Amino acid sequence: MDFSVPETHTAITELCGRLISDFSSQDHLRALETQPTSWNKALWYQLIDSGLHLVSVPESSGGSGLDLHAASIIAQSLGEHVAQT
């Protein structure tokens, strides 16, 4: 069995982590707390612009056609960074 991590999964992890850290600094999150709606619109738009929302959508439908593990990488990255401690 091959247990190596595919390059695409590594790239998704790095991209997602970079976007989250760029758009979720402590200053940015503090500023969001003063807004009427506190969802991080800038981060979500960056995730969409990067195409991460389409990783597991079939290529025939405009997505990347990757497996569900690719989508779980994104969910894990978001969970690690946005969980309240």
Side-chain angles (χ1 to χ4, degrees):
M1 295 189 110
D2 181 11
F3 291 105
S4 61
V5 177
E7 285 183 37
T8 53
H9 291 181
T10 303
I12 289 169
T13 302
E14 291 171 358
L15 175 59
C16 198
R18 188 173 66 245
L19 290 175
I20 291 168
S21 67
D22 288 350
F23 290 91
S24 295
S25 68
Q26 289 299 318
D27 291 335
H28 186 79
L29 295 176
R30 276 191 214 99
L32 285 176
E33 290 177 357
T34 65
Q35 304 298 316
T37 58
S38 61
W39 68 284
N40 195 339
K41 189 185 300 188
L43 172 60
W44 288 105
Y45 285 150
Q46 286 299 313
L47 291 169
I48 291 168
D49 287 345
S50 70
L52 287 172
H53 67 300
L54 297 171
V55 295
S56 294
V57 174
E59 289 183 63
S60 60
S61 298
S64 300
L66 298 176
D67 55 13
L68 288 177
H69 183 223
S72 70
I73 291 169
I74 297 166
Q76 179 180 354
S77 295
L78 289 169
E80 288 173 353
H81 289 84
V82 300
Q84 298 281 332
T85 56

PDB file of all heavy atoms in Angstrom, residues 14-47:
ATOM      1  N   GLU A  14      -1.761  23.636   2.036  1.00  0.00           N
ATOM      2  CA  GLU A  14      -0.964  24.866   2.084  1.00  0.00           C
ATOM      3  C   GLU A  14      -1.785  26.085   1.677  1.00  0.00           C
ATOM      4  O   GLU A  14      -1.725  27.128   2.337  1.00  0.00           O
ATOM      5  CB  GLU A  14       0.266  24.726   1.194  1.00  0.00           C
ATOM      6  CG  GLU A  14       1.272  23.731   1.733  1.00  0.00           C
ATOM      7  CD  GLU A  14       2.404  23.428   0.759  1.00  0.00           C
ATOM      8  OE1 GLU A  14       2.407  23.970  -0.377  1.00  0.00           O
ATOM      9  OE2 GLU A  14       3.292  22.627   1.124  1.00  0.00           O
ATOM     10  N   LEU A  15      -2.555  25.972   0.600  1.00  0.00           N
ATOM     11  CA  LEU A  15      -3.359  27.097   0.128  1.00  0.00           C
ATOM     12  C   LEU A  15      -4.414  27.483   1.154  1.00  0.00           C
ATOM     13  O   LEU A  15      -4.571  28.659   1.498  1.00  0.00           O
ATOM     14  CB  LEU A  15      -4.033  26.762  -1.206  1.00  0.00           C
ATOM     15  CG  LEU A  15      -5.006  27.799  -1.755  1.00  0.00           C
ATOM     16  CD1 LEU A  15      -4.319  29.144  -1.978  1.00  0.00           C
ATOM     17  CD2 LEU A  15      -5.651  27.293  -3.039  1.00  0.00           C
ATOM     18  N   CYS A  16      -5.115  26.500   1.664  1.00  0.00           N
ATOM     19  CA  CYS A  16      -6.162  26.761   2.642  1.00  0.00           C
ATOM     20  C   CYS A  16      -5.569  27.389   3.903  1.00  0.00           C
ATOM     21  O   CYS A  16      -6.086  28.384   4.427  1.00  0.00           O
ATOM     22  CB  CYS A  16      -6.896  25.476   2.973  1.00  0.00           C
ATOM     23  SG  CYS A  16      -8.487  25.728   3.757  1.00  0.00           S
ATOM     24  N   GLY A  17      -4.473  26.848   4.377  1.00  0.00           N
ATOM     25  CA  GLY A  17      -3.814  27.400   5.559  1.00  0.00           C
ATOM     26  C   GLY A  17      -3.350  28.826   5.360  1.00  0.00           C
ATOM     27  O   GLY A  17      -3.504  29.673   6.242  1.00  0.00           O
ATOM     28  N   ARG A  18      -2.797  29.106   4.180  1.00  0.00           N
ATOM     29  CA  ARG A  18      -2.326  30.460   3.883  1.00  0.00           C
ATOM     30  C   ARG A  18      -3.485  31.446   3.827  1.00  0.00           C
ATOM     31  O   ARG A  18      -3.414  32.541   4.401  1.00  0.00           O
ATOM     32  CB  ARG A  18      -1.545  30.477   2.568  1.00  0.00           C
ATOM     33  CG  ARG A  18      -0.867  31.811   2.286  1.00  0.00           C
ATOM     34  CD  ARG A  18       0.041  31.778   1.079  1.00  0.00           C
ATOM     35  NE  ARG A  18      -0.718  31.571  -0.144  1.00  0.00           N
ATOM     36  CZ  ARG A  18      -0.631  30.494  -0.936  1.00  0.00           C
ATOM     37  NH1 ARG A  18       0.177  29.510  -0.624  1.00  0.00           N
ATOM     38  NH2 ARG A  18      -1.355  30.389  -2.028  1.00  0.00           N
ATOM     39  N   LEU A  19      -4.569  31.070   3.160  1.00  0.00           N
ATOM     40  CA  LEU A  19      -5.730  31.961   3.078  1.00  0.00           C
ATOM     41  C   LEU A  19      -6.324  32.224   4.454  1.00  0.00           C
ATOM     42  O   LEU A  19      -6.665  33.358   4.793  1.00  0.00           O
ATOM     43  CB  LEU A  19      -6.793  31.370   2.148  1.00  0.00           C
ATOM     44  CG  LEU A  19      -6.458  31.351   0.674  1.00  0.00           C
ATOM     45  CD1 LEU A  19      -7.545  30.635  -0.110  1.00  0.00           C
ATOM     46  CD2 LEU A  19      -6.242  32.750   0.138  1.00  0.00           C
ATOM     47  N   ILE A  20      -6.442  31.174   5.247  1.00  0.00           N
ATOM     48  CA  ILE A  20      -7.015  31.333   6.580  1.00  0.00           C
ATOM     49  C   ILE A  20      -6.130  32.241   7.430  1.00  0.00           C
ATOM     50  O   ILE A  20      -6.629  33.148   8.099  1.00  0.00           O
ATOM     51  CB  ILE A  20      -7.237  29.969   7.249  1.00  0.00           C
ATOM     52  CG1 ILE A  20      -8.353  29.210   6.524  1.00  0.00           C
ATOM     53  CG2 ILE A  20      -7.573  30.137   8.726  1.00  0.00           C
ATOM     54  CD1 ILE A  20      -8.471  27.760   6.914  1.00  0.00           C
ATOM     55  N   SER A  21      -4.834  32.029   7.397  1.00  0.00           N
ATOM     56  CA  SER A  21      -3.963  32.876   8.226  1.00  0.00           C
ATOM     57  C   SER A  21      -3.931  34.311   7.719  1.00  0.00           C
ATOM     58  O   SER A  21      -3.884  35.249   8.509  1.00  0.00           O
ATOM     59  CB  SER A  21      -2.551  32.286   8.307  1.00  0.00           C
ATOM     60  OG  SER A  21      -1.912  32.321   7.053  1.00  0.00           O
ATOM     61  N   ASP A  22      -4.004  34.509   6.402  1.00  0.00           N
ATOM     62  CA  ASP A  22      -4.002  35.865   5.843  1.00  0.00           C
ATOM     63  C   ASP A  22      -5.272  36.634   6.187  1.00  0.00           C
ATOM     64  O   ASP A  22      -5.233  37.848   6.381  1.00  0.00           O
ATOM     65  CB  ASP A  22      -3.852  35.835   4.318  1.00  0.00           C
ATOM     66  CG  ASP A  22      -2.455  35.447   3.863  1.00  0.00           C
ATOM     67  OD1 ASP A  22      -1.544  35.375   4.716  1.00  0.00           O
ATOM     68  OD2 ASP A  22      -2.282  35.203   2.655  1.00  0.00           O
ATOM     69  N   PHE A  23      -6.397  35.949   6.247  1.00  0.00           N
ATOM     70  CA  PHE A  23      -7.681  36.622   6.439  1.00  0.00           C
ATOM     71  C   PHE A  23      -8.316  36.356   7.806  1.00  0.00           C
ATOM     72  O   PHE A  23      -9.493  36.647   7.997  1.00  0.00           O
ATOM     73  CB  PHE A  23      -8.650  36.238   5.313  1.00  0.00           C
ATOM     74  CG  PHE A  23      -8.239  36.823   3.998  1.00  0.00           C
ATOM     75  CD1 PHE A  23      -7.405  36.121   3.144  1.00  0.00           C
ATOM     76  CD2 PHE A  23      -8.658  38.083   3.622  1.00  0.00           C
ATOM     77  CE1 PHE A  23      -7.004  36.670   1.936  1.00  0.00           C
ATOM     78  CE2 PHE A  23      -8.263  38.643   2.427  1.00  0.00           C
ATOM     79  CZ  PHE A  23      -7.429  37.930   1.578  1.00  0.00           C
ATOM     80  N   SER A  24      -7.540  35.825   8.734  1.00  0.00           N
ATOM     81  CA  SER A  24      -8.062  35.573  10.074  1.00  0.00           C
ATOM     82  C   SER A  24      -7.080  36.020  11.156  1.00  0.00           C
ATOM     83  O   SER A  24      -6.989  35.393  12.207  1.00  0.00           O
ATOM     84  CB  SER A  24      -8.378  34.088  10.251  1.00  0.00           C
ATOM     85  OG  SER A  24      -9.423  33.705   9.400  1.00  0.00           O
ATOM     86  N   SER A  25      -6.367  37.099  10.893  1.00  0.00           N
ATOM     87  CA  SER A  25      -5.459  37.618  11.919  1.00  0.00           C
ATOM     88  C   SER A  25      -6.279  38.081  13.121  1.00  0.00           C
ATOM     89  O   SER A  25      -7.485  38.327  13.011  1.00  0.00           O
ATOM     90  CB  SER A  25      -4.643  38.781  11.367  1.00  0.00           C
ATOM     91  OG  SER A  25      -5.494  39.892  11.116  1.00  0.00           O
ATOM     92  N   GLN A  26      -5.640  38.204  14.252  1.00  0.00           N
ATOM     93  CA  GLN A  26      -6.344  38.651  15.457  1.00  0.00           C
ATOM     94  C   GLN A  26      -6.975  40.025  15.250  1.00  0.00           C
ATOM     95  O   GLN A  26      -8.099  40.266  15.685  1.00  0.00           O
ATOM     96  CB  GLN A  26      -5.380  38.684  16.649  1.00  0.00           C
ATOM     97  CG  GLN A  26      -4.972  37.311  17.126  1.00  0.00           C
ATOM     98  CD  GLN A  26      -6.170  36.494  17.588  1.00  0.00           C
ATOM     99  OE1 GLN A  26      -7.058  36.991  18.265  1.00  0.00           O
ATOM    100  NE2 GLN A  26      -6.198  35.230  17.208  1.00  0.00           N
ATOM    101  N   ASP A  27      -6.276  40.925  14.579  1.00  0.00           N
ATOM    102  CA  ASP A  27      -6.830  42.260  14.318  1.00  0.00           C
ATOM    103  C   ASP A  27      -8.071  42.167  13.437  1.00  0.00           C
ATOM    104  O   ASP A  27      -9.067  42.852  13.680  1.00  0.00           O
ATOM    105  CB  ASP A  27      -5.785  43.162  13.650  1.00  0.00           C
ATOM    106  CG  ASP A  27      -4.650  43.512  14.593  1.00  0.00           C
ATOM    107  OD1 ASP A  27      -4.867  43.481  15.825  1.00  0.00           O
ATOM    108  OD2 ASP A  27      -3.551  43.821  14.087  1.00  0.00           O
ATOM    109  N   HIS A  28      -8.003  41.313  12.426  1.00  0.00           N
ATOM    110  CA  HIS A  28      -9.144  41.150  11.518  1.00  0.00           C
ATOM    111  C   HIS A  28     -10.344  40.566  12.271  1.00  0.00           C
ATOM    112  O   HIS A  28     -11.478  41.035  12.103  1.00  0.00           O
ATOM    113  CB  HIS A  28      -8.760  40.257  10.336  1.00  0.00           C
ATOM    114  CG  HIS A  28      -9.814  40.139   9.295  1.00  0.00           C
ATOM    115  ND1 HIS A  28     -10.049  41.110   8.359  1.00  0.00           N
ATOM    116  CD2 HIS A  28     -10.718  39.168   9.072  1.00  0.00           C
ATOM    117  CE1 HIS A  28     -11.055  40.739   7.593  1.00  0.00           C
ATOM    118  NE2 HIS A  28     -11.479  39.553   8.002  1.00  0.00           N
ATOM    119  N   LEU A  29     -10.094  39.578  13.110  1.00  0.00           N
ATOM    120  CA  LEU A  29     -11.182  38.952  13.859  1.00  0.00           C
ATOM    121  C   LEU A  29     -11.784  39.918  14.885  1.00  0.00           C
ATOM    122  O   LEU A  29     -13.001  39.942  15.080  1.00  0.00           O
ATOM    123  CB  LEU A  29     -10.690  37.684  14.543  1.00  0.00           C
ATOM    124  CG  LEU A  29     -10.262  36.553  13.590  1.00  0.00           C
ATOM    125  CD1 LEU A  29      -9.701  35.378  14.380  1.00  0.00           C
ATOM    126  CD2 LEU A  29     -11.394  36.124  12.684  1.00  0.00           C
ATOM    127  N   ARG A  30     -10.943  40.739  15.509  1.00  0.00           N
ATOM    128  CA  ARG A  30     -11.463  41.744  16.447  1.00  0.00           C
ATOM    129  C   ARG A  30     -12.363  42.741  15.718  1.00  0.00           C
ATOM    130  O   ARG A  30     -13.398  43.148  16.238  1.00  0.00           O
ATOM    131  CB  ARG A  30     -10.315  42.472  17.135  1.00  0.00           C
ATOM    132  CG  ARG A  30      -9.795  41.737  18.330  1.00  0.00           C
ATOM    133  CD  ARG A  30      -8.841  42.596  19.152  1.00  0.00           C
ATOM    134  NE  ARG A  30      -7.837  41.726  19.710  1.00  0.00           N
ATOM    135  CZ  ARG A  30      -6.606  41.553  19.216  1.00  0.00           C
ATOM    136  NH1 ARG A  30      -6.192  42.229  18.177  1.00  0.00           N
ATOM    137  NH2 ARG A  30      -5.785  40.717  19.784  1.00  0.00           N
ATOM    138  N   ALA A  31     -11.939  43.145  14.523  1.00  0.00           N
ATOM    139  CA  ALA A  31     -12.741  44.086  13.736  1.00  0.00           C
ATOM    140  C   ALA A  31     -14.083  43.466  13.360  1.00  0.00           C
ATOM    141  O   ALA A  31     -15.108  44.150  13.339  1.00  0.00           O
ATOM    142  CB  ALA A  31     -11.979  44.510  12.484  1.00  0.00           C
ATOM    143  N   LEU A  32     -14.103  42.176  13.068  1.00  0.00           N
ATOM    144  CA  LEU A  32     -15.355  41.494  12.722  1.00  0.00           C
ATOM    145  C   LEU A  32     -16.341  41.500  13.884  1.00  0.00           C
ATOM    146  O   LEU A  32     -17.553  41.557  13.664  1.00  0.00           O
ATOM    147  CB  LEU A  32     -15.083  40.048  12.303  1.00  0.00           C
ATOM    148  CG  LEU A  32     -14.486  39.835  10.924  1.00  0.00           C
ATOM    149  CD1 LEU A  32     -14.182  38.356  10.712  1.00  0.00           C
ATOM    150  CD2 LEU A  32     -15.407  40.349   9.843  1.00  0.00           C
ATOM    151  N   GLU A  33     -15.826  41.441  15.098  1.00  0.00           N
ATOM    152  CA  GLU A  33     -16.697  41.410  16.272  1.00  0.00           C
ATOM    153  C   GLU A  33     -17.511  42.693  16.419  1.00  0.00           C
ATOM    154  O   GLU A  33     -18.552  42.691  17.058  1.00  0.00           O
ATOM    155  CB  GLU A  33     -15.879  41.159  17.534  1.00  0.00           C
ATOM    156  CG  GLU A  33     -15.326  39.758  17.609  1.00  0.00           C
ATOM    157  CD  GLU A  33     -14.448  39.535  18.826  1.00  0.00           C
ATOM    158  OE1 GLU A  33     -14.218  40.497  19.589  1.00  0.00           O
ATOM    159  OE2 GLU A  33     -13.987  38.404  19.000  1.00  0.00           O
ATOM    160  N   THR A  34     -17.056  43.776  15.814  1.00  0.00           N
ATOM    161  CA  THR A  34     -17.772  45.052  15.917  1.00  0.00           C
ATOM    162  C   THR A  34     -18.803  45.230  14.810  1.00  0.00           C
ATOM    163  O   THR A  34     -19.551  46.191  14.826  1.00  0.00           O
ATOM    164  CB  THR A  34     -16.777  46.234  15.863  1.00  0.00           C
ATOM    165  OG1 THR A  34     -16.150  46.260  14.570  1.00  0.00           O
ATOM    166  CG2 THR A  34     -15.727  46.105  16.954  1.00  0.00           C
ATOM    167  N   GLN A  35     -18.817  44.308  13.854  1.00  0.00           N
ATOM    168  CA  GLN A  35     -19.737  44.395  12.725  1.00  0.00           C
ATOM    169  C   GLN A  35     -21.094  43.771  13.071  1.00  0.00           C
ATOM    170  O   GLN A  35     -21.168  42.893  13.922  1.00  0.00           O
ATOM    171  CB  GLN A  35     -19.154  43.685  11.500  1.00  0.00           C
ATOM    172  CG  GLN A  35     -17.790  44.186  11.072  1.00  0.00           C
ATOM    173  CD  GLN A  35     -17.820  45.642  10.669  1.00  0.00           C
ATOM    174  OE1 GLN A  35     -18.716  46.082   9.957  1.00  0.00           O
ATOM    175  NE2 GLN A  35     -16.851  46.407  11.138  1.00  0.00           N
ATOM    176  N   PRO A  36     -22.158  44.225  12.396  1.00  0.00           N
ATOM    177  CA  PRO A  36     -23.484  43.633  12.647  1.00  0.00           C
ATOM    178  C   PRO A  36     -23.523  42.124  12.363  1.00  0.00           C
ATOM    179  O   PRO A  36     -24.191  41.369  13.050  1.00  0.00           O
ATOM    180  CB  PRO A  36     -24.418  44.383  11.706  1.00  0.00           C
ATOM    181  CG  PRO A  36     -23.659  45.550  11.200  1.00  0.00           C
ATOM    182  CD  PRO A  36     -22.202  45.280  11.417  1.00  0.00           C
ATOM    183  N   THR A  37     -22.832  41.700  11.325  1.00  0.00           N
ATOM    184  CA  THR A  37     -22.709  40.273  11.033  1.00  0.00           C
ATOM    185  C   THR A  37     -21.238  39.928  11.152  1.00  0.00           C
ATOM    186  O   THR A  37     -20.397  40.574  10.553  1.00  0.00           O
ATOM    187  CB  THR A  37     -23.209  39.928   9.618  1.00  0.00           C
ATOM    188  OG1 THR A  37     -22.477  40.684   8.673  1.00  0.00           O
ATOM    189  CG2 THR A  37     -24.692  40.219   9.471  1.00  0.00           C
ATOM    190  N   SER A  38     -20.937  38.925  11.941  1.00  0.00           N
ATOM    191  CA  SER A  38     -19.533  38.654  12.241  1.00  0.00           C
ATOM    192  C   SER A  38     -18.913  37.552  11.384  1.00  0.00           C
ATOM    193  O   SER A  38     -17.844  37.067  11.702  1.00  0.00           O
ATOM    194  CB  SER A  38     -19.384  38.296  13.723  1.00  0.00           C
ATOM    195  OG  SER A  38     -20.133  37.147  14.009  1.00  0.00           O
ATOM    196  N   TRP A  39     -19.558  37.168  10.288  1.00  0.00           N
ATOM    197  CA  TRP A  39     -18.935  36.139   9.451  1.00  0.00           C
ATOM    198  C   TRP A  39     -17.834  36.777   8.616  1.00  0.00           C
ATOM    199  O   TRP A  39     -17.898  37.933   8.228  1.00  0.00           O
ATOM    200  CB  TRP A  39     -19.949  35.375   8.614  1.00  0.00           C
ATOM    201  CG  TRP A  39     -20.636  36.137   7.525  1.00  0.00           C
ATOM    202  CD1 TRP A  39     -21.644  37.039   7.674  1.00  0.00           C
ATOM    203  CD2 TRP A  39     -20.376  36.059   6.118  1.00  0.00           C
ATOM    204  NE1 TRP A  39     -22.024  37.519   6.459  1.00  0.00           N
ATOM    205  CE2 TRP A  39     -21.261  36.944   5.481  1.00  0.00           C
ATOM    206  CE3 TRP A  39     -19.486  35.341   5.349  1.00  0.00           C
ATOM    207  CZ2 TRP A  39     -21.282  37.116   4.102  1.00  0.00           C
ATOM    208  CZ3 TRP A  39     -19.512  35.513   3.976  1.00  0.00           C
ATOM    209  CH2 TRP A  39     -20.403  36.391   3.375  1.00  0.00           C
ATOM    210  N   ASN A  40     -16.807  36.022   8.361  1.00  0.00           N
ATOM    211  CA  ASN A  40     -15.601  36.509   7.714  1.00  0.00           C
ATOM    212  C   ASN A  40     -15.776  36.501   6.188  1.00  0.00           C
ATOM    213  O   ASN A  40     -15.297  35.604   5.499  1.00  0.00           O
ATOM    214  CB  ASN A  40     -14.414  35.647   8.151  1.00  0.00           C
ATOM    215  CG  ASN A  40     -13.093  36.265   7.837  1.00  0.00           C
ATOM    216  OD1 ASN A  40     -12.978  37.122   6.977  1.00  0.00           O
ATOM    217  ND2 ASN A  40     -12.069  35.818   8.534  1.00  0.00           N
ATOM    218  N   LYS A  41     -16.450  37.510   5.690  1.00  0.00           N
ATOM    219  CA  LYS A  41     -16.769  37.596   4.269  1.00  0.00           C
ATOM    220  C   LYS A  41     -15.515  37.578   3.394  1.00  0.00           C
ATOM    221  O   LYS A  41     -15.460  36.900   2.367  1.00  0.00           O
ATOM    222  CB  LYS A  41     -17.562  38.872   3.993  1.00  0.00           C
ATOM    223  CG  LYS A  41     -18.126  38.961   2.599  1.00  0.00           C
ATOM    224  CD  LYS A  41     -18.816  40.300   2.331  1.00  0.00           C
ATOM    225  CE  LYS A  41     -19.955  40.552   3.264  1.00  0.00           C
ATOM    226  NZ  LYS A  41     -20.741  41.745   2.894  1.00  0.00           N
ATOM    227  N   ALA A  42     -14.469  38.284   3.794  1.00  0.00           N
ATOM    228  CA  ALA A  42     -13.238  38.337   3.004  1.00  0.00           C
ATOM    229  C   ALA A  42     -12.611  36.950   2.858  1.00  0.00           C
ATOM    230  O   ALA A  42     -12.171  36.577   1.765  1.00  0.00           O
ATOM    231  CB  ALA A  42     -12.247  39.304   3.639  1.00  0.00           C
ATOM    232  N   LEU A  43     -12.589  36.188   3.950  1.00  0.00           N
ATOM    233  CA  LEU A  43     -12.025  34.838   3.885  1.00  0.00           C
ATOM    234  C   LEU A  43     -12.836  33.953   2.955  1.00  0.00           C
ATOM    235  O   LEU A  43     -12.285  33.259   2.101  1.00  0.00           O
ATOM    236  CB  LEU A  43     -11.966  34.209   5.282  1.00  0.00           C
ATOM    237  CG  LEU A  43     -11.579  32.726   5.329  1.00  0.00           C
ATOM    238  CD1 LEU A  43     -10.200  32.505   4.735  1.00  0.00           C
ATOM    239  CD2 LEU A  43     -11.654  32.204   6.755  1.00  0.00           C
ATOM    240  N   TRP A  44     -14.159  33.983   3.093  1.00  0.00           N
ATOM    241  CA  TRP A  44     -14.998  33.120   2.262  1.00  0.00           C
ATOM    242  C   TRP A  44     -14.890  33.489   0.795  1.00  0.00           C
ATOM    243  O   TRP A  44     -14.845  32.609  -0.073  1.00  0.00           O
ATOM    244  CB  TRP A  44     -16.446  33.144   2.745  1.00  0.00           C
ATOM    245  CG  TRP A  44     -16.571  32.407   4.036  1.00  0.00           C
ATOM    246  CD1 TRP A  44     -16.723  32.935   5.276  1.00  0.00           C
ATOM    247  CD2 TRP A  44     -16.475  30.985   4.214  1.00  0.00           C
ATOM    248  NE1 TRP A  44     -16.742  31.937   6.225  1.00  0.00           N
ATOM    249  CE2 TRP A  44     -16.593  30.733   5.600  1.00  0.00           C
ATOM    250  CE3 TRP A  44     -16.304  29.907   3.355  1.00  0.00           C
ATOM    251  CZ2 TRP A  44     -16.547  29.443   6.128  1.00  0.00           C
ATOM    252  CZ3 TRP A  44     -16.273  28.629   3.892  1.00  0.00           C
ATOM    253  CH2 TRP A  44     -16.393  28.417   5.257  1.00  0.00           C
ATOM    254  N   TYR A  45     -14.788  34.769   0.482  1.00  0.00           N
ATOM    255  CA  TYR A  45     -14.612  35.161  -0.916  1.00  0.00           C
ATOM    256  C   TYR A  45     -13.266  34.677  -1.458  1.00  0.00           C
ATOM    257  O   TYR A  45     -13.163  34.265  -2.618  1.00  0.00           O
ATOM    258  CB  TYR A  45     -14.750  36.669  -1.096  1.00  0.00           C
ATOM    259  CG  TYR A  45     -16.185  37.159  -1.029  1.00  0.00           C
ATOM    260  CD1 TYR A  45     -16.477  38.427  -0.561  1.00  0.00           C
ATOM    261  CD2 TYR A  45     -17.245  36.365  -1.434  1.00  0.00           C
ATOM    262  CE1 TYR A  45     -17.785  38.885  -0.503  1.00  0.00           C
ATOM    263  CE2 TYR A  45     -18.552  36.809  -1.382  1.00  0.00           C
ATOM    264  CZ  TYR A  45     -18.818  38.072  -0.916  1.00  0.00           C
ATOM    265  OH  TYR A  45     -20.104  38.525  -0.862  1.00  0.00           O
ATOM    266  N   GLN A  46     -12.237  34.711  -0.636  1.00  0.00           N
ATOM    267  CA  GLN A  46     -10.932  34.206  -1.069  1.00  0.00           C
ATOM    268  C   GLN A  46     -10.966  32.694  -1.293  1.00  0.00           C
ATOM    269  O   GLN A  46     -10.367  32.193  -2.242  1.00  0.00           O
ATOM    270  CB  GLN A  46      -9.846  34.569  -0.051  1.00  0.00           C
ATOM    271  CG  GLN A  46      -9.454  36.016  -0.086  1.00  0.00           C
ATOM    272  CD  GLN A  46      -8.897  36.422  -1.437  1.00  0.00           C
ATOM    273  OE1 GLN A  46      -8.058  35.736  -2.009  1.00  0.00           O
ATOM    274  NE2 GLN A  46      -9.380  37.537  -1.945  1.00  0.00           N
ATOM    275  N   LEU A  47     -11.651  31.981  -0.411  1.00  0.00           N
ATOM    276  CA  LEU A  47     -11.779  30.529  -0.593  1.00  0.00           C
ATOM    277  C   LEU A  47     -12.511  30.217  -1.899  1.00  0.00           C
ATOM    278  O   LEU A  47     -12.137  29.292  -2.632  1.00  0.00           O
ATOM    279  CB  LEU A  47     -12.500  29.904   0.596  1.00  0.00           C
ATOM    280  CG  LEU A  47     -11.738  29.908   1.921  1.00  0.00           C
ATOM    281  CD1 LEU A  47     -12.653  29.501   3.062  1.00  0.00           C
ATOM    282  CD2 LEU A  47     -10.522  29.003   1.850  1.00  0.00           C
TER     283      LEU A  47
END
